[in-house]
Amino acid sequence: MTLFGTTLDGAAIASLCGLLATLFLWVFALRGERSRIRWFRDWEAQRKARRDAEIEAEQASRPKTGPWG
């Protein structure tokens, strides 16, 4: 078999298949890592929104005292 004018033997074909398999493995690992990062960012935003709502509710329920309200 020739590829770009170079004759490929069994070892070269096996090494190319190994490199392609490694590339696919790396791409799927990167995809999984990105989905975990996306999940964490969403979770963090929801947690911050809940915390801000709790703080706002706490401040609204507290009686206003002092000269500034």
Side-chain angles (χ1 to χ4, degrees):
M1 178 176 173
T2 60
L3 180 67
F4 300 115
T6 304
T7 303
L8 298 176
D9 57 347
I13 292 172
S15 67
L16 283 175
C17 290
L19 284 173
L20 282 174
T22 304
L23 176 66
F24 286 135
L25 178 67
W26 185 82
V27 166
F28 281 113
L30 179 64
R31 185 174 145 239
E33 186 66 26
R34 289 185 65 193
S35 71
R36 271 186 244 124
I37 290 171
R38 190 176 305 119
W39 172 84
F40 180 76
R41 285 181 182 156
D42 291 342
W43 176 79
E44 186 72 18
Q46 291 172 357
R47 187 184 70 85
K48 186 178 183 301
R50 281 192 311 264
R51 185 172 184 275
D52 290 346
E54 288 173 1
I55 289 173
E56 190 172 310
E58 179 183 302
Q59 288 175 352
S61 66
R62 191 171 20 166
K64 297 189 181 345
T65 60
W68 295 281

